[in-house]
Structures are given as C-alpha cells and as structure tokens.
Amino acid sequence: MKTEMPLPSPSILDNDFYKFTMQCAVVQLFPDVKARYTFINRGAHEFPDGFGAALRDLVDRMAELKLAPEEHRYLSKNCPYLNAAYLDLLAGYRYDPSEVCIEQTGTALEVSVEGHWFRTILWEVPLLFLISELYYRLTRQQRDSDEQVIRNTIEKTTIYKELDVPVAEFGTRRRHSYEVQRLVVDTLTAHGGKSFVGTSNVHLAMCARTKPIGTHAHEWFMFHAAKYGFTMANALSLEHWTDVYRGDLGVALSDTYTNDVFFEQFDKKFAKLFDGVRHDSGDPIAYSEKVIAHYKKLGINPAYKFIIFSDGLNTGRVAEITHAAKGKIGISFGIGTNLTNDVGLKPMNIVMKLTAVQFDGKRWVSTVKLSDEPGKHTGDPGMIRLAKEVLGIE
C-alpha cells in the first residue's frame, strides 16, 4: 500500500530540537553505546490492514533526507553551542531504515529501533509522527478545515496573550499531520505576538524564523541510570550536560525518577547552573510550590528562575497554573497535542521509549522511567521494582 506523500518528511530537521542537542552530547561523550527503542501503544489503537507495509515504505524513504547547506548555516548561526564537528557529522548523517523493525499482526503494531545510540536517537519523533499521520490517512478520518484550525489557534493564542505568558509549540510527535503543524506554527507566528516564543520543531523554527526550543528528554536520565545506577542518574545526567553545554540549554527535566528524588540531588550547584526546570508529570501547581520552596531553601530568589510546564496542557490548564504561579517564579508553557492535533478527531496516545542500552558490546541493560503518575512508568517490571527499592519510592 503506497502513500501519497513524495517524501515522508520535508526535512531532516523535521524533528524535536532536543533530539539534536542530545545527539550532539552522545557523540561527544558516549559514541560507542548502543540503544534499543520500543513503540508503546498506550491508547490501544487498532491499525488497519496494510498499515505496517505502508509504514515500512515511509521509513525506507527516510534515508533520502539529508541536511541542506542552508540548514547547516541556520544551525551554525542560531545554535552556536552545537559544535562544528557535530554539525559536520549531521551533514553526513542519513537515516538507516535497517535499524527499524516493523511487524503487524492483525490490528496490532510492533515497532522497535536498534543500533548505535548517536544514530538511532533521531528515529523516535519521526516514527511517532509517521504513525500518527498514516493512521488518520488510512482510516480515512476527516479533520477540521484549515480555516477552522486557524480559528482555533487564534482563539488559544488570544487567551495566552491575555494571560501574558510565554508559549511554545511542542506538538511534533503526535501531530495530526505536517500540514496541520505548519499551519499552527504559521498562525502562532502571525498572531501570537510576544507570547509565542518558539517551537520544538527545528525545521518549522527555521521556516517561521522563530526559536527552536528544547534541551534533553527522559532518555538522557534513563541511560545514566542504566550505566551508573539509579542513585547517581540525576546528578551525573546534569553534570555531563553542563560538561557539554557549559551553561547553555539550561533547563533540567526533573521527573524521570520522580520529582522528589530529583530535588534531593538538585543542590545549590545545579540550581545555580541551570536556569530552570521542566515539569512533565504530576500536579503542576503542587510542583511549582515545591520548586519555589526548594530555591528559597537554597538561598536563591525564585524570581530569577523559571519552570517550563509541558504535561498535557490546554488553555484552561495554562490559565489555572498561571493564576497560581505567576509572579512567584518565571513560568512558560510547552503545548503539544492541544495545538497540533486539535482538529475534531481523537488524538493518538502513543510513545516511543528507550528500553535498553548496551555498553562495550556486553549484555543489554533495561532502562526504566518512574513518573509521578504511575500509569506513565515504563520499562521492565523487575527493573522498575528495583529502581523503586533503591530510590526508596513507595
């Protein structure tokens, strides 16, 4: 079953920014590590006949993408913390479809990726948006018109401007389609004013002349736990990040092994080195109060720090958080699915997680993530139990 798109993606930069920043760090610090990623169908979606074959076709054609000279110049100018050696490596990078395994049995879909971490790290987000886009196309679901998408986006950004809060678009991985995401970013750029501060999608940031936004993801901490142990994961993840970026990209993700465990290790050194933290699970208002108290305990004025909220946000949730936290600490919001897949259809609930890593060609070590929301725990059940025991998590 062939698809209509001439290419599965318009650019190799059609990806979340933190995949490139992490890739740069992996190349520098862990070039020999191998990784395994696994697709998780949280929404129990049923895939139509031929879906796996159609996805295989799209994945195979990802190998045609390469960094264009103007894209290289854009990254060099706008992201100076990505060193010249990395950008040259990216210029020579090509997706290797043989790293991706796709199997469909009935309506069930299995997708996994395996290979060197510095190479496979770029597959996660494209695989998710390809699955999402292909699902809507092959199930023949009709989305809202472009005009309705624009109206919806203008209504949302009007609220964000009234709240006077910074908002970034974070919706690449579960977008309805590239066309919708492009429409949303263009509308935010035209109507968002100073409230719209950028997008996680590097290609669209370049097209819209806005800022690419992102630092690192859960997999950075999951890898460190597998290599160095659960008790050292947060501290070494942050230490290695600062070794590479020397103060740039200073937002720390806090919930890979629960926020409570993170802040036990987020001491004065890290609290001063990092500009702020990102919230991705648990109650956001309780989280903001915890972060403010933590900074105050360390003798740091929270007004000079900030929190990026990025967990399942919509206009109502943003307003609630703003009223609770604004003026106490800097706040901004990364909004994903509510912007790029609010088109009159049910958004997909799918993720792709780092599930194992291999060091020096030895045995594979399972990776786990312990969210503040139990339903978001991922990984081998035995390893999850071990992590909870080691970290003292009930």
Side-chain angles (χ1 to χ4, degrees), residues 76-125:
S76 181
K77 179 181 178 180
N78 293 279
C79 310
Y81 37 78
L82 298 177
N83 62 64
Y86 167 69
L87 293 183
D88 280 355
L89 179 144
L90 187 61
Y93 177 92
R94 302 292 184 274
Y95 283 104
D96 181 356
S98 71
E99 294 167 342
V100 182
C101 178
I102 302 169
E103 294 185 7
Q104 181 174 1
T105 305
T107 60
L109 180 72
E110 295 182 5
V111 183
S112 61
V113 179
E114 186 176 309
H116 278 94
W117 192 20
F118 79 89
R119 288 196 46 81
T120 56
I121 198 168
L122 292 190
W123 274 115
E124 174 196 356
V125 174

Side-chain angles (χ1 to χ4, degrees), residues 291-306:
V291 173
I292 291 167
H294 186 74
Y295 280 127
K296 287 181 175 178
K297 183 181 71 174
L298 296 175
I300 297 171
N301 185 347
Y304 296 108
K305 299 294 181 177
F306 66 91

Side-chain angles (χ1 to χ4, degrees), residues 60-361:
D60 287 347
R61 285 189 283 148
M62 288 288 287
E64 300 174 43
L65 297 175
K66 61 182 179 180
L67 193 72
E70 62 271 21
E71 293 173 330
H72 190 288
R73 289 192 293 270
Y74 169 81
L75 292 175
S76 181
K77 179 181 178 180
N78 293 279
C79 310
Y81 37 78
L82 298 177
N83 62 64
Y86 167 69
L87 293 183
D88 280 355
L89 179 144
L90 187 61
Y93 177 92
R94 302 292 184 274
Y95 283 104
D96 181 356
S98 71
E99 294 167 342
V100 182
C101 178
I102 302 169
E103 294 185 7
Q104 181 174 1
T105 305
T107 60
L109 180 72
E110 295 182 5
V111 183
S112 61
V113 179
E114 186 176 309
H116 278 94
W117 192 20
F118 79 89
R119 288 196 46 81
T120 56
I121 198 168
L122 292 190
W123 274 115
E124 174 196 356
V125 174
L127 282 171
L128 288 173
F129 71 60
L130 289 176
I131 290 170
S132 182
E133 294 182 27
L134 191 60
Y135 178 79
Y136 293 113
R137 195 177 315 149
L138 296 190
T139 55
R140 303 184 185 279
Q141 299 186 52
Q142 190 66 37
R143 69 168 173 90
D144 289 339
S145 67
D146 287 359
E147 293 74 16
Q148 185 62 50
V149 172
I150 292 171
R151 284 196 295 271
N152 288 346
T153 306
I154 292 175
E155 287 177 8
K156 292 169 187 174
T157 199
T158 299
I159 293 172
Y160 300 138
K161 287 192 291 185
E162 290 172 352
L163 291 169
D164 191 25
V165 292
V167 170
E169 182 275 308
F170 276 16
T172 303
R173 63 187 54 228
R174 286 183 286 269
R175 67 192 185 193
H176 172 274
S177 59
Y178 169 78
E179 291 76 15
V180 167
Q181 188 178 17
R182 179 69 183 262
L183 200 60
V184 165
V185 171
D186 287 347
T187 304
L188 290 169
T189 302
H191 298 275
K194 66 178 183 179
S195 181
F196 178 57
V197 295
T199 171
S200 64
N201 187 299
V202 187
H203 163 68
L204 291 177
M206 178 179 168
C207 293
R209 297 183 180 180
T210 190
K211 184 178 180 180
I213 294 180
T215 53
H216 48 239
H218 294 108
E219 68 178 281
W220 183 251
F221 295 83
M222 294 163 71
F223 159 77
H224 280 80
K227 184 170 179 62
Y228 301 106
F230 295 110
T231 58
M232 298 297 294
N234 287 317
L236 283 177
S237 293
L238 299 178
E239 195 76 55
H240 286 150
W241 195 256
T242 57
D243 286 345
V244 174
Y245 290 111
R246 316 300 297 178
D248 284 317
L249 303 175
V251 179
L253 180 59
S254 62
D255 72 329
T256 308
Y257 297 106
T258 75
N259 290 306
D260 284 342
V261 170
F262 176 86
F263 285 108
E264 289 174 2
Q265 298 182 330
F266 196 63
D267 60 13
K268 181 175 282 193
K269 171 186 173 180
F270 292 129
K272 286 194 169 185
L273 280 174
F274 282 83
D275 302 316
V277 293
R278 179 160 73 92
H279 169 268
D280 199 49
S281 65
D283 184 284
I285 295 174
Y287 178 86
S288 66
E289 293 170 351
K290 180 181 298 184
V291 173
I292 291 167
H294 186 74
Y295 280 127
K296 287 181 175 178
K297 183 181 71 174
L298 296 175
I300 297 171
N301 185 347
Y304 296 108
K305 299 294 181 177
F306 66 91
I307 302 171
I308 295 180
F309 297 91
S310 61
D311 181 30
L313 298 175
N314 54 36
T315 53
R317 200 64 172 141
V318 169
E320 184 180 1
I321 296 167
T322 299
H323 295 321
K326 191 175 183 181
K328 301 175 183 177
I329 191 169
I331 57 174
S332 64
F333 300 88
I335 303 174
T337 306
N338 184 253
L339 284 174
T340 62
N341 206 344
D342 183 17
V343 294
L345 305 173
K346 183 179 179 180
M348 300 194 79
N349 187 1
I350 54 176
V351 295
M352 192 129 193
K353 291 294 182 183
L354 179 72
T355 51
V357 289
Q358 185 188 58
F359 316 108
D360 303 321

Side-chain angles (χ1 to χ4, degrees), residues 41-60:
N41 182 7
R42 284 179 175 168
H45 305 284
E46 296 184 350
F47 295 91
D49 288 345
F51 188 94
L55 180 62
R56 179 79 261 172
D57 177 60
L58 292 174
V59 167
D60 287 347

